[in-house]
Amino acid sequence: GRHMATGARHNAWLALAGIELLMLVIAVGLPELTSFVSAASSSGGNLAAACIYLAVAMLGWTVGAELPLGNRLFIDAGGTVDGGVAWLAVAGHAGAAAGAIAVGVILVPVFGIEVSGAILATVKCAGFLCLTSALINMPGHEEGIGDVIAG
């Protein structure tokens, strides 16, 4: 995340949108992958658990990469470093607590893993669309999205 936050401001937006897209792929793919592995393997439980651990590690990296990107964008918008870190830490912890309660207490017990994955993928898709919209409408980049991506 720290290396993705360097350079032009639109690079941070693109990196953040890419991370959201990766989380979307994980949310969609994890239930399907664990079902496939469990059905295809006699020791499917162990392999499915390994897939879940790998997904958790990947999600941990992506969430950790979002912090410096969020700080960069907060500072670019006129915030201070101290304020950016504080607000992002508060938002991160509140989101983690709400997400853990929602997924662990409501979504998975009520709807199951596959429907919960679809619900979470929908949330990540909305986040990706919001970031993409912000990137397209970013002041100073009226030349179009193709030119912004090209640098």
Side-chain angles (χ1 to χ4, degrees):
R2 183 182 73 226
H3 297 294
M4 291 186 277
T6 59
R9 176 176 54 162
H10 66 268
N11 289 346
W13 281 104
L14 286 173
L16 201 54
I19 288 172
E20 285 292 312
L21 189 59
L22 178 61
M23 286 188 203
L24 171 65
V25 168
I26 292 171
V28 169
L30 184 62
E32 297 301 321
L33 180 64
T34 55
S35 296
F36 173 75
V37 168
S38 294
S41 173
S42 61
S43 64
N46 293 335
L47 200 50
C51 290
I52 291 172
Y53 286 128
L54 179 63
V56 168
M58 289 175 61
L59 288 171
W61 175 83
T62 58
V63 170
E66 286 181 323
L67 183 64
L69 292 169
N71 279 331
R72 164 69 191 272
L73 296 173
F74 186 82
I75 291 167
D76 284 348
T80 63
V81 174
D82 293 342
V85 172
W87 279 111
L88 284 172
V90 167
H93 286 96
I101 291 169
V103 172
V105 176
I106 300 167
L107 291 178
V108 172
V110 173
F111 299 111
I113 292 177
E114 289 188 14
V115 174
S116 297
I119 291 169
L120 294 174
T122 303
V123 170
K124 295 316 300 176
C125 186
F128 175 74
L129 291 175
C130 287
L131 285 170
T132 304
S133 173
L135 176 63
I136 291 170
N137 297 313
M138 185 172 26
H141 291 298
E142 288 80 15
E143 63 270 10
I145 188 66
D147 296 330
V148 171
I149 292 172

